[in-house]
Amino acid sequence: MKRNLKSTTVGLLIGLGMIGMGLSSCTKDFKKYNTNPRALTDSTFAYDGEDVGGYFPAMEKSVFHTDDYQYQLQQNLNGDIYSGYMMSGDPFAGGINNTNYALVPGWNQTCFDLGFQQEMASWYQIHLRAAKTRPDLDAVATILKVEAMHRVCDVYGPLPYTKYGQGVFATVYDSQQTVYETFFKELDAAITALSTYVAANPTATPFAPYDNVFAGNYKEWLKFANSLRLRLAIRISMVEPALAKTEAEKSASDPNGMMITNADNAFLQAGNGLTFTNPVWICDISYTDIQMGAPMECFMKGYNDPRVKAEFLPNSAGAYRGIRQGVAIAANGDYGQAAFFTIGQYDKIKWMTAAETLFNQAEGVLRGWNMGGGTAQSYYEQGITLSMQQQGVAIGNYLDDATSVEAPYVDLVKSAYNVPAGSPNLSTITIKWNDGDSNDRKLERIITQKWLAGWPDGEEAWAEYRRTGYPILMPVATNNSGGTIDSQTQIRRLPFPQDEVNNNGPAVQKAIQLLGGPDNGGTRLWWDLPNKTFVK
Amino acid sequence: MKKLLPLMLLVPCIAFGANSAQKASAATITKKGTSLNVKMQASTITGVVKDETGAPLAGVSIVVKGTTNGTQTDVNGKYRLSANPGDVLVISYIGYVSKQMPVGNSTTIDIVLAPDTKNLNEVVVTALGIKRESRTLTYGTQTINGDEANKVKDPSFVNALAGKIAGASISESSSGAGGSTRVVLRGNKSISGDNSVLYVIDGIPMPKNQSGQPGSIFGGMDGGDAISAINSDDIESITVLPGAASTALYGSDGANGVILITTKKGKAGVTSINFNSTTTFQKAFDLYKTQSEYGQGSADTANTGIISSWGPKISSPSFDPASFFNTGKTFINSINFSTGTEKNQTYFSFESTNNDGIEPNNKLDKYNFTVRNTSQLLNNKLTLDVSANYIQQNTFNRPVVGFYYNPLVTAYIFPRGVSMTPYEKNYSIPDPTRGDLPVQNWPTAYYLSDIGTANPYWLANMDNTIENQSRILGTVSAKYQITDWLSIQGRAKVDRMNDVINQDFYATSPPVLVGPKGAYRYIPSNITQTYGDLILNVNKKFSDFTLGANLGAVIQDNQSNGLNIGGNLSQYDNLFTVRNLDVTSLNNATQNTDRQQTQSLFFTANLGYKDFLFLDVSGRNDWNSTLAYTNNLSFFYPAVGLNLVISQLAKLPEPISFLKLRGSVADVGSGLDQNYLTTTQYPFSGNTVSPTGLGSLETLKPQKSLTTEIGIDSRWFNSTFTLNANFYKTSTTNQLITVNAPSSALYSTEVFNAGKVTNKGVEVTLGYNAKFSNDFSWNPSATFSANRNKVVSLLTYNDPTTGKPVTIDSVLIKNSAYDSRVQVGGSFGDMYLPVFQRDASGKVVVDNNGNPVRNPVEQKVGNYNANFNVGFQNSFKYKNFSLSFLIDGRFGGQVISGTQAVLDQYGVSETSAQARDNGGVELNGQKVNAQQYYTAIGGRAGILGEYVYSATNIRLREFTFGYTIPGSAFHNSIKGITITAVGRNLFFFTNKAPFDPDLAYSTDNGSQGFDMFNLPTVRSYGLSLSASF
């Protein structure tokens, strides 16, 4: 009996042991269990080169973000307002917010996040896989990266750009000068690589399945890259004139050419599986959070600008009214009579147009650069003509108008916000080119028209305003910056995002040293000189 | 109660057969007795067994000495068995001194048992459902019987445990009936992972089924948890195993402690029907204080075109937010039926829970069915236990927190002095220009796009979330007694939950949330847990030694599948179907297929020497599928414990009846908290691959948690007074930490094993059993617990570019309601928020408009964890009357009120009126205009760090007063009827916060201690009637 019991026990122990061994051999399925069958993983991702191409849509759709509220924070509630293009009639955050220089920390985050989490992160992945094998795709990714990141750089200043992807939690920042110099090097390399590819494969369009800007046409990408290089050269023309001249002339002389006809214009459009709602439409018509800015009203009105009808919707009285930046808004709807926009729900998103290149060429000539043989006046007038064409309006005798100036501003709600005729906050520049004007006046004329043609990209217009001081914009009606931003000088940048301050603290502290001033909205960026007097 | 407890613990023990050899023969003998052939010439002896107070004792074992002839007493203490004159009856019962009675010529033998004051052989259910005598345990446990836990019923029984468990922090999410509850034992251990307790039903772990929790201030809805669905009436007893030593056998799942639930089963020889009906009413209380002095407007000027209440003084009445809330009604009806013979016992129960919440249009209906059969086969060697549960739960509009879709936002900030009546009566009006489409009645001026405001009655009625959940659980357990000291047991369980959520949002809901034609979301999911184990039990006695050992294998497999698709409607207004969704919805749909499997081998051994020295050793090896693709699929973790029953070893001074010292050290390992961390996944939407993903510094490893515990169990003054205490220290290392990397990092999220978090604490339970006469007794008990948490280290890694070590001493766990930051030297639960900028002298810096300036760097403003918790339970019995109350206090810790900040911003709060009365807010000795001040610091983006309150509160958690009509009043046609008036959460003795600090925004780690339009706390009161037949 006892023996029997023992053998039973031993048998059971052996049984359990076998179960145990069985268990460990069962763990061979663990890899299967721990691989998500419904996720894109390394093997499926590599098919058909999607592991490179798949990242482009993220890059293209995040230059101007296409997901509703992200655009609102990325650009609409800062650059679009600070440029004078637009203003919000919604008293966000109890009416104390970015529109009156109380910079809401959470709002300063999105532009940075999109730049790094979408653009830089996608570029990194493409570059990782394509640098050696697909020079053409690598080159386009670089152009896209520069297009996206100069916009981010122009908002904050120093950026963790050249060392990106190296640290895990902490990435060091570069000065804005370093970032810009890197942009030029990157564009040079990309243009060279892409030109080489096009020369060898003149009809190939491998980028077409992923490209929603130029449908994979590398020749257009080369024109875009040259125009972008010119834009950046113009941006540093005052702070670093020699480099600016070199880079600008490279673009002007590049055999691939620049964007000089409206057929070259860069717009993001739906296709290749990418669908989006125009983000400006979302903020404007869907959210009713954004309306026409006062300077836009006053310039359009003063100049009798035919583009007003193409860009804005009249109010119930048939007028195109704007809101002045920083007005105190008691309730949503107080400024209901200000103009909304014609931009439609599914309209394509403007990145850059030929008109801008022409205005940049005009400024280049003014600065003594070789821009391809034209005069400042010819480029200037061609820029206006292209813009009118692009908006589908007849130019009439607009170019010959030597008398019209910006109209005074009458506030919809409160007369205290009015800007009467004769105020230094109203521009006195006219439209018609006058070779006899000083370079400063000429520059004001070029930039004012570039500003009118630049609608609705407020971020670019804000950058140019900061660089040149033009067009003349009315200061904020109320300033809640706590003294960090001077009303007359206006806002110069956004503070570094809270997330970076909290989680990349030491690097941000060094970045503030590179910035050369406190981390607030009043500190000038590197290319934003206090003295803006024209120096040739 | 004192008598009931051992009885309840004994009953399942009988059914299972003996587990511990050293246990007095009660159970074993009973088992044998059932198979005995009664001798022909014996006479029948009958009698009643009572305790010293004359109360009958049920389940007492009576055996004829030297034979296997035995029986046990019924609920009335009566027994009947055959014996011969000259035989000796051995009467034994757990917790009482065994007695021997010679059988004389009398056929009636009544017996009185005296309590065993030296050595209360209380049986405790431990890990894997293994029952052990409490005095053999080397770690602390706490047992609460089912009746005690459910004195005042709650739709989720876990909420009824508040204040009753030492060392537990129980926070109910603000989501009404059926919502989930966060229960943390002995402090938070895991930085990024789950800190909640594991529920184990009859030895088998229950999946958490915890769905997404609202995190950001915009809110969301709690999806409930698995435990809230169980029928509280099926609970026989609850044992809390707070420490690692007790839970080592549950591996990772048990690292945060275990609440072990033993459910009822049929009883041999007893047929009973119990009926319980509880009706309670819920009233919102402790609401935010609003003002009715100043009306709609701004700058003291009336303006009907804005929602703010910064207008002039008014005389018109203001909407009272309290009137938005209904009186909630909860009906819980349950019936259970239990019967059994020696060979077969059956239990059946049904419970219905019907709740109308305090928010309009919020309902919960839950139905539970349980059937369980236990049978003894093959000459009682084989015990089969089979049970099935079916749960159907339908939830309608579970309340949400935060801004979005939350009617409480506008119920609170509705302009003062304006009548709500038109908006309440006609929240929806037909629009003839849109084919009589019902459109929201709400002025445009009251619509705030940044927080998505809407008519509160519209939100409550026209934005509907309907959840239908069905769940089926089946368990089979077989135990074979190989010899009297060796048995083998196998169990299998399947728990499958199907859940379907439909969300219909009608056109003209807030445009920031819902498209012009409405929106719809469809979320079906199912979760299946399969569990199997095989355990060999050894119980052996060798002269002075006793050995209890288990050797086992466990497999646990969890699978879940789900789909979440939704978006704006594209074509037809208010047609809520997937086909009517706009095209982008498909790109944004999410689908999950998860599978996790753990396989384990374990052993445990308990060696006893002369009933005073006990040694526990256990070890477990897990293979965990979440570790696939790492170097370490398998990991082992041991535990060892020792206890010394001093009162058995030495003669102690008279007052001490029992004294035991114990200590244990246990290591608990666990896999990773999530699936798929070890493989790269590329998230995509449409044709767009999202580049931000998960990065990992190194190969992930199993996590570890080491706990040292010492404790004392003692009884004093003839065991009338008990004092138990535990001191513990837990050190959790190799934690899986998920960190939101800064934007400039390559990956948005990084996971790594690192960090060391320690928890040190003490738990004390005190009990007193006062019997002033046979009619009057008083049983107070108290719990005290304190826990200190410290983050010792976080992470050091080698920077891939420089190769130099980088030390990270601060990580942000979650950036939502507030920044929940873990900082070396700080502790878990530290809350970081914007605060005022102050100068060197501590003065608030103001800008040139007189507004306070925000400090650009967020500061630590508090920690949500309590310094200590105290619970004080009292039960009085006088004849057939009973009265009990529970006072529950939480001391220390901070909470944040976002609601107060928003009410201040809109000039609705009482504080804002007081400030106006006082001519402004005093700042640095000067008055700042109230509106200017509160607009600057209030609101969702305000200086929330100035809205921190002490979480200290003391409340009357439970109160009951009952009367039992004895069976004799009904000529014993029924056993008795008890009518009890019950109340829960009745009032605060003190509460310094403007809301209930024990209510959580959600059960997330980073959302504790926060209020942003949470459902207010409710006072619940009503009547409970129970009858036994």
Side-chain angles (χ1 to χ4, degrees), chain B residues 617-681:
Chain B
V617 184
S618 69
R620 174 162 169 148
N621 201 83
D622 278 8
W623 290 262
N624 188 304
S625 71
T626 60
L627 291 163
Y629 299 105
T630 71
N631 309 326
N632 235 348
L633 279 187
S634 148
F635 49 97
F636 177 79
Y637 44 97
V640 61
L642 194 67
N643 104 44
L644 187 63
V645 183
I646 296 174
S647 52
Q648 188 87 6
L649 183 66
K651 178 84 188 149
L652 293 173
E654 191 48 40
I656 305 173
S657 340
F658 177 80
L659 180 64
K660 173 178 124 180
L661 291 177
R662 54 188 159 73
S664 64
V665 182
D667 202 2
V668 179
S670 63
L672 309 176
D673 302 316
Q674 302 167 41
N675 254 8
Y676 308 144
L677 289 177
T678 56
T679 44
T680 310
Q681 297 181 54

Side-chain angles (χ1 to χ4, degrees), chain A residues 5 23 35 42 90 113 272 331, chain B residues 306 449 483 599 629 682 687 743:
Chain A
L5 278 177
L23 284 179
T35 305
D42 284 310
D90 193 328
D113 283 356
N272 284 332
Chain B
I306 60 175
S449 71
T483 72
Q599 301 170 4
Y629 299 105
Y682 302 91
N687 70 338
S743 308

Side-chain angles (χ1 to χ4, degrees), chain A residues 176-235:
Chain A
Q176 190 170 29
Q177 179 174 8
T178 306
V179 177
Y180 260 78
E181 286 167 3
T182 310
F183 287 157
F184 290 120
K185 282 181 203 147
E186 289 177 330
L187 283 177
D188 280 0
I191 290 167
T192 307
L194 203 54
S195 303
T196 311
Y197 182 88
V198 172
N201 310 277
T203 56
T205 54
F207 188 40
Y210 308 106
D211 185 11
N212 289 309
V213 179
F214 294 121
N217 184 339
Y218 282 154
K219 288 174 185 153
E220 289 297 339
W221 276 105
L222 283 162
K223 290 182 192 172
F224 177 81
N226 277 324
S227 291
L228 178 61
R229 181 162 55 186
L230 176 61
R231 176 195 273 183
L232 301 185
I234 286 288
R235 186 85 86 245

Side-chain angles (χ1 to χ4, degrees), chain A residues 288-505:
Chain A
T288 66
D289 278 347
I290 200 81
Q291 286 154 285
M292 187 187 207
M296 201 67 189
E297 174 196 341
C298 298
F299 276 108
M300 286 282 187
K301 194 171 168 189
Y303 287 169
N304 285 312
D305 200 303
R307 285 170 290 194
V308 72
K309 288 191 173 114
E311 291 169 4
F312 298 93
L313 300 169
N315 65 14
S316 58
Y320 298 93
R321 300 299 308 277
I323 314 173
R324 190 175 154 186
Q325 211 183 121
V327 293
I329 293 158
N332 217 351
D334 283 3
Y335 282 90
Q337 286 295 303
F340 289 91
F341 316 149
T342 56
I343 294 170
Q345 185 169 4
Y346 301 111
D347 281 6
K348 48 196 186 175
I349 300 169
K350 180 172 133 185
W351 280 17
M352 196 197 284
T353 59
E356 182 193 331
T357 303
L358 270 296
F359 290 117
N360 287 338
Q361 284 176 297
E363 184 177 343
V365 172
L366 213 58
R367 296 192 181 277
W369 303 347
N370 180 359
M371 287 288 100
T375 63
Q377 179 177 1
S378 69
Y379 289 132
Y380 169 77
E381 290 178 347
Q382 183 61 16
I384 297 173
T385 310
L386 282 169
S387 169
M388 296 283 181
Q389 265 176 17
Q390 186 231 323
Q391 291 294 1
V393 296
I395 189 165
N397 53 2
Y398 189 84
L399 294 173
D400 298 325
D401 185 343
T403 52
S404 295
V405 290
E406 185 184 9
Y409 172 68
V410 180
D411 193 83
L412 278 163
V413 176
K414 209 170 175 180
S415 59
Y417 297 145
N418 291 353
V419 184
S423 161
N425 294 324
L426 288 182
S427 170
T428 56
I429 198 77
T430 52
I431 301 166
K432 189 177 162 62
W433 187 262
N434 176 10
D435 251 336
D437 277 343
S438 70
N439 277 337
D440 280 314
R441 287 296 274 179
K442 284 177 183 163
L443 182 65
E444 180 177 3
R445 182 166 284 130
I446 293 170
I447 300 297
T448 303
Q449 283 299 330
K450 184 161 99 168
W451 180 83
L452 283 166
W455 169 265
D457 180 6
E459 207 157 88
E460 185 59 23
W462 178 40
E464 284 296 89
Y465 169 75
R466 285 174 288 160
R467 177 178 71 91
T468 62
Y470 302 127
I472 304 281
L473 297 178
M474 303 155 195
V476 278
T478 41
N479 182 336
N480 290 315
S481 70
T484 58
I485 304 170
D486 182 88
S487 295
Q488 208 59 44
T489 313
Q490 307 202 15
I491 183 165
R492 312 314 291 182
R493 65 185 284 276
L494 292 185
F496 291 120
Q498 200 66 42
D499 178 41
E500 282 290 304
V501 175
N502 289 338
N503 296 315
N504 194 12

Side-chain angles (χ1 to χ4, degrees), chain B residues 593-608:
Chain B
T593 303
D594 277 286
R595 183 158 187 189
Q596 280 189 24
Q597 193 174 88
T598 313
Q599 301 170 4
S600 320
L601 284 178
F602 70 88
F603 75 91
T604 159
N606 178 258
L607 190 67

Side-chain angles (χ1 to χ4, degrees), chain B residues 218-240:
Chain B
F218 296 104
M221 192 186 68
D222 164 42
D225 54 14
I227 193 68
S228 66
I230 81 159
N231 176 358
S232 57
D233 216 38
D234 285 347
I235 299 173
E236 179 92 40
S237 72
I238 294 164
T239 304
V240 183

Side-chain angles (χ1 to χ4, degrees), chain B residues 150 152-160 172 176-179 181 225-233 278 280 282 329-332 351-357 364-366 368 393 398 984 1018 1020:
Chain B
N150 287 306
V152 185
K153 284 199 172 193
D154 189 278
S156 176
F157 90 93
V158 181
N159 294 329
E172 196 177 328
T181 304
D225 54 14
I227 193 68
S228 66
I230 81 159
N231 176 358
S232 57
D233 216 38
T278 303
T280 53
Q282 285 78 37
K329 301 172 204 66
T330 306
F331 306 102
I332 303 177
E351 181 181 64
S352 66
T353 304
N354 304 91
N355 167 272
D356 280 334
L364 170 108
D365 295 303
K366 183 179 77 169
N368 294 63
Q393 178 173 299
R398 179 170 286 160
R984 230 170 99 63
V1018 294
S1020 182

